[in-house]
Amino acid sequence: MPEPATQPNEPDREDLRTRLLAAAEKLVRKHGPDGLSLRELARACGSSTMAIYTLFGGKPGLMEALYVLGFARLHAYALSAEAREAPLRWLVRQMLAYRRFALDHTGLYRLMFGGEKRFTPTGRNSRFASLAAPVEDAYPAFAALVDAVGACMIHHHASAPDPAQVQDLAFLVWGQMHGLVGLEIAGYADPADALGRYQSAVRFICTHCGAAPADVDAELGAAALT
Amino acid sequence: MPEPATQPNEPDREDLRTRLLAAAEKLVRKHGPDGLSLRELARACGSSTMAIYTLFGGKPGLMEALYVLGFARLHAYALSAEAREAPLRWLVRQMLAYRRFALDHTGLYRLMFGGEKRFTPTGRNSRFASLAAPVEDAYPAFAALVDAVGACMIHHHASAPDPAQVQDLAFLVWGQMHGLVGLEIAGYADPADALGRYQSAVRFICTHCGAAPADVDAELGAAALT
DNA sequence: GCCAGTGCTATAACACTGTTATTGATTCGA
DNA sequence: TCGAATCAATAACAGTGTTATAGCACTGGC
């Protein structure tokens, strides 16, 4: 009996999309987001460029798929740093996890935050996309940051803070993390000082939330050992 | 007497380089750093692409020229915000000037800090480029920031701070500014809240330097009127 | 079992990019 | 005035994203 040749339902078939995505991630890691070539990608997967068009609709669609993949990766980093029972540890580890994600995936990071508004996720309330939707609605990674900041503030301050105030502070924290990491990736930070400066930023922010500097240093030291 | 036709020493001749640079800046503003086309640039200046090769040595050379032009522009913004007699006003205005530069020149800003190490200025100590040279040696704009932070700390703290401490804090300030501005350019900030959040970051940093929140708000209010 | 119909992919072509070799004109120096 | 040199324009090459065409394998109905 002749084997069904290359059936369209062979394992590679529905895997082609994920294989292309994985190869694209590898190429973005190597050449940067703007150095991705459809022909090179197709060559790496043993297919033609048309497969990318039928599966992603073109290069922008492929980039958008990488974009959501990057946010899923970032969310995984945020989840791995979760410690709801210890708010200070939670915030410290999440800030460190953000930097580790950026340094581990500089290609994806530059694609997501590279300074050009490329894509906006179509959330459940995409009908109101023209309005200003809170960021945490669209990006679960930012929601985790808001939660960690809020928990840290509640834990160290007596009164429960205003939710809007928590969002604003979380955005400042995000800005601090993104700025330091971005400068580091762009080559403006001395590699020998980059980690120390990031740690001092963590200290800066956590003490602003009310934590004791010694406790923050303890968490930083414990996190540095892992 | 026949006019000398198109003499190579006509005013356009040595101006061609600056004309190309100006046109390139305009194209980068419109299409972004990665959307710059040598052919379109040459077409805009009525010349051929070869002129770019003889004047800049190729596209990387052109990008590097735009890079140093961007830092000159940023330095001009920093100088326009100088107020050495009032350290707090100096720091506040310089932080606001940084954001204004980034929003006024998003193309150049993305070229300079877009998350990819493209160029490093060949300073006077370029022989030690392999070593970690302090950033303020290469970029006068960052030196101005270090000066403003140091003056603000000296003015509000009794004791003169350690220079290394001033550099570290200035780098954190730079990171905060770059992060917020980068997120704003990338489209992650609600346009209605972006300025307010940046102002709260200014408040955050200046109070850390020892300034009174009311004084910071006064400076922010005065700067908002100009 | 056969045959239209559908869905997907490979090939080839188009317009575009950066880069380079070649050619021609123009200027400078002896 | 003539040789040498400099510089820009033309054309070509390899590469890019995209699209039109054509071919293949599979599905549905008869």
Side-chain angles (χ1 to χ4, degrees):
Chain A
M1 176 165 71
E3 60 177 352
T6 57
Q7 270 197 2
N9 276 340
E10 74 184 13
D12 299 349
R13 182 60 169 61
E14 65 265 17
D15 262 358
L16 211 166
R17 185 189 156 92
T18 65
R19 275 176 41 214
L20 281 171
L21 256 181
E25 183 184 1
K26 198 180 301 181
L27 289 179
V28 162
R29 177 193 306 271
K30 195 188 302 179
H31 299 134
D34 296 303
L36 199 156
S37 159
L38 294 190
R39 287 179 152 89
E40 186 180 2
L41 173 60
R43 218 178 302 136
C45 289
S47 76
S48 178
T49 60
M50 279 309 298
I52 305 172
Y53 280 83
T54 58
L55 290 175
F56 297 96
K59 191 170 189 181
L62 174 66
M63 302 290 265
E64 188 163 350
L66 281 172
Y67 177 86
V68 308
L69 185 142
F71 269 96
R73 291 267 144 79
L74 174 58
H75 187 47
Y77 273 71
L79 285 182
S80 76
E82 202 171 54
R84 302 190 101 94
E85 73 286 355
L88 177 61
R89 176 174 311 162
W90 188 10
L91 182 54
V92 169
R93 290 182 55 183
Q94 194 158 348
M95 290 187 70
L96 293 176
Y98 188 92
R99 175 171 178 267
R100 193 163 17 170
F101 164 77
L103 297 184
D104 287 350
H105 306 87
T106 59
L108 285 180
Y109 191 84
R110 285 179 43 209
L111 170 62
M112 292 185 278
F113 305 112
E116 182 187 13
K117 186 175 178 62
R118 301 193 191 236
F119 315 106
T120 51
T122 58
R124 44 180 165 76
N125 44 7
S126 60
R127 290 180 301 155
F128 309 101
S130 63
L131 299 178
V135 187
E136 62 266 25
D137 276 11
Y139 304 105
F142 185 68
L145 179 64
V146 173
D147 288 347
V149 169
C152 204
M153 290 179 73
I154 292 178
H155 186 257
H156 291 98
H157 288 55
S159 62
D162 179 16
Q165 193 179 346
V166 176
Q167 285 182 20
D168 286 348
L169 180 57
F171 194 84
L172 289 192
V173 174
W174 189 14
Q176 180 75 75
M177 296 190 301
H178 170 59
L180 291 178
V181 159
L183 291 178
E184 184 173 358
I185 290 178
Y188 291 94
D190 185 355
D193 300 341
L195 176 59
R197 279 170 169 163
Y198 196 87
Q199 286 173 332
S200 73
V202 173
R203 219 172 288 128
F204 197 69
I205 286 167
C206 290
T207 56
H208 180 81
C209 287
D215 294 342
V216 182
D217 285 340
E219 292 296 343
L220 284 172
L225 296 180
T226 58
Chain B
M1 175 166 71
E3 59 177 352
T6 57
Q7 270 198 3
N9 275 341
E10 72 185 16
D12 299 349
R13 180 61 168 66
E14 65 265 15
D15 262 359
L16 211 165
R17 186 187 155 94
T18 65
R19 275 176 41 213
L20 281 171
L21 256 181
E25 184 184 0
K26 197 179 302 182
L27 288 179
V28 162
R29 178 193 303 271
K30 194 187 305 183
H31 299 133
D34 295 304
L36 199 155
S37 159
L38 294 192
R39 286 179 152 92
E40 185 180 2
L41 173 60
R43 218 177 303 135
C45 290
S47 76
S48 179
T49 60
M50 279 310 297
I52 304 173
Y53 279 83
T54 58
L55 290 175
F56 298 96
K59 190 169 188 179
L62 173 66
M63 302 289 266
E64 189 164 349
L66 281 172
Y67 177 85
V68 307
L69 184 143
F71 268 97
R73 291 267 144 82
L74 174 58
H75 188 46
Y77 273 71
L79 284 183
S80 76
E82 201 171 55
R84 303 189 100 94
E85 72 285 356
L88 177 60
R89 177 174 310 164
W90 188 11
L91 183 54
V92 168
R93 289 182 56 183
Q94 193 158 349
M95 291 187 69
L96 292 177
Y98 187 91
R99 175 170 177 267
R100 196 166 12 173
F101 164 76
L103 297 185
D104 288 349
H105 307 87
T106 57
L108 285 180
Y109 191 84
R110 285 179 43 207
L111 170 62
M112 293 185 276
F113 306 112
E116 181 186 13
K117 185 176 178 62
R118 302 193 190 237
F119 314 107
T120 52
T122 59
R124 44 181 166 78
N125 45 7
S126 61
R127 291 180 301 156
F128 308 101
S130 63
L131 298 179
V135 188
E136 61 267 27
D137 275 11
Y139 304 104
F142 186 68
L145 180 64
V146 173
D147 289 346
V149 169
C152 204
M153 291 178 71
I154 291 177
H155 186 257
H156 292 97
H157 288 55
S159 63
D162 179 16
Q165 193 180 345
V166 176
Q167 285 181 20
D168 286 349
L169 180 56
F171 194 84
L172 289 192
V173 174
W174 188 14
Q176 180 74 75
M177 296 190 301
H178 170 60
L180 290 179
V181 159
L183 290 179
E184 185 173 356
I185 290 178
Y188 291 95
D190 185 354
D193 300 341
L195 175 59
R197 277 169 169 163
Y198 196 86
Q199 286 174 332
S200 73
V202 173
R203 219 172 288 130
F204 196 70
I205 287 166
C206 290
T207 56
H208 180 80
C209 286
D215 294 342
V216 182
D217 285 339
E219 293 294 344
L220 284 173
L225 297 180
T226 60

